[in-house]
Amino acid sequence: MKKIVISLGGSVLVPSLESNNISRYVSVLKNIAESCRIFIVVGGGGEARRYIGVARDLGAGEATADELGIMVTRLNASLLIAGLGDAAYPRVAENYTEAREFAQTKKIVVMGGITPAQTTDAVSAVLAESVGADLLINATSVNGIYSADPKKDAGAVKHERLTPQELLDIITGSRMNAGANIVLDIVAGKVIERSGIPLLVLDGRDPENLYRAIVEGACTGTIVSKESSNPLLP
Ligand code: UTP
């Protein structure tokens, strides 16, 4: 069975508690788990930003704000586990060793953030390396990686395919247009480059896009891989 790590942006899973998409994701993830082993890394979304904002207003430093963000990612991860029921390992993995241990049960493994000064994108890239994943998917609120921020620049072009080095160049800004929307953090970019694990960035606002990519091999986003072959094919 293929091993797939999915970075599920908080902005798509829990934009806010009231407008969460957890039940829509639960049914899609259960279907996907029938044909491959999946690991989910859940982001913080709007609630993380609210906590971080209040902490900053109270004078907290950035590391403290990050710790609060991590707690919220784990709360969101706990909600997803609650929704997945028996299909998921019942505890949020708090480090990569735990994630590997929990995976031995063959259940869906769910985790949130790990350490300050990074995002859950970095966690998902390290997790993919740690479990020897065949594919890393970043389900986010944009439908791929663009040459510039598509919300600000009408001329922004979507990259259908990038090499890991081209991705790193975009992230570090050496080939970036002003105002480009960076969908991954630098740690994630570096780990993707060194591991060589293919990455797919897709629009997670529709959970079905995950099913289409993983089960049907239909790619609607940006593929980042060293080889020109399609990593979605069996
Ligand atoms: P996210 O990675 O979810 O960031 O973690 P985000 O920008 O909110 O992403 P989306 O849109 O929800 O997907 C939320 C915050 O938690 C802290 C950071 O402050 C981050 O901005 N965090 C998260 C860490 O410090 N370390 C981690 O490993 C993960």
Side-chain angles (χ1 to χ4, degrees):
M1 262 191 181
K2 268 191 179 178
K3 278 187 215 155
I4 302 181
V5 172
I6 302 166
S7 177
L8 207 45
S11 51
V12 300
L13 188 71
V14 193
S16 71
L17 265 180
E18 296 75 20
S19 61
N20 75 77
N21 292 313
I22 296 172
S23 60
R24 286 171 68 212
Y25 261 103
V26 161
S27 51
V28 170
L29 292 172
K30 281 183 177 171
N31 281 341
I32 294 171
E34 282 174 19
S35 57
C36 53
R37 197 130 302 145
I38 51 176
F39 299 75
I40 319 280
V41 182
V42 178
E47 303 302 335
R49 280 180 208 105
R50 288 172 68 189
Y51 271 89
I52 287 168
V54 173
R56 280 192 190 127
D57 290 347
L58 291 168
E62 286 305 294
T64 304
D66 279 343
E67 295 284 6
L68 279 166
I70 292 168
M71 287 186 221
V72 178
T73 64
R74 289 177 176 167
L75 281 174
N76 288 342
S78 303
L79 284 177
L80 181 62
I81 288 174
L84 287 167
D86 270 356
Y89 189 84
R91 210 153 66 73
V92 177
E94 296 195 354
N95 57 57
Y96 303 105
T97 314
E98 275 190 356
R100 289 203 304 274
E101 261 174 48
F102 296 175
Q104 286 174 4
T105 62
K106 303 193 182 349
K107 303 255 183 194
I108 299 173
V109 175
V110 185
M111 65 193 298
I114 295 287
T115 188
Q118 61 174 34
T119 71
T120 46
D121 293 338
V123 175
S124 66
V126 177
L127 179 63
E129 195 174 51
S130 174
V131 302
D134 301 285
L135 179 66
L136 170 61
I137 297 184
N138 191 291
T140 182
S141 54
V142 202
N143 68 349
I145 301 173
Y146 280 77
S147 59
D149 185 345
K151 286 169 192 149
K152 293 182 190 147
D153 185 344
V157 179
K158 188 171 104 180
H159 296 289
E160 299 294 327
R161 189 177 270 281
L162 291 168
T163 64
Q165 186 57 51
E166 286 169 337
L167 172 70
L168 253 185
D169 289 348
I170 289 172
I171 293 172
T172 56
S174 55
R175 291 170 60 177
M176 187 174 69
N177 296 332
N181 187 24
I182 303 305
V183 287
L184 291 165
D185 72 23
I186 181 81
V187 180
K190 290 203 162 175
V191 176
I192 287 161
E193 203 274 331
R194 80 174 184 189
S195 71
I197 296 170
L199 163 74
L200 174 61
V201 178
L202 55 73
D203 191 343
R205 288 169 296 190
D206 179 0
E208 290 297 331
N209 282 337
L210 266 184
Y211 186 87
R212 286 182 201 116
I214 296 173
V215 181
E216 297 169 357
C219 172
T220 50
T222 300
I223 294 176
V224 180
S225 73
K226 279 185 182 153
E227 281 121 41
S228 55
S229 56
N230 185 348
L232 298 176
L233 295 176

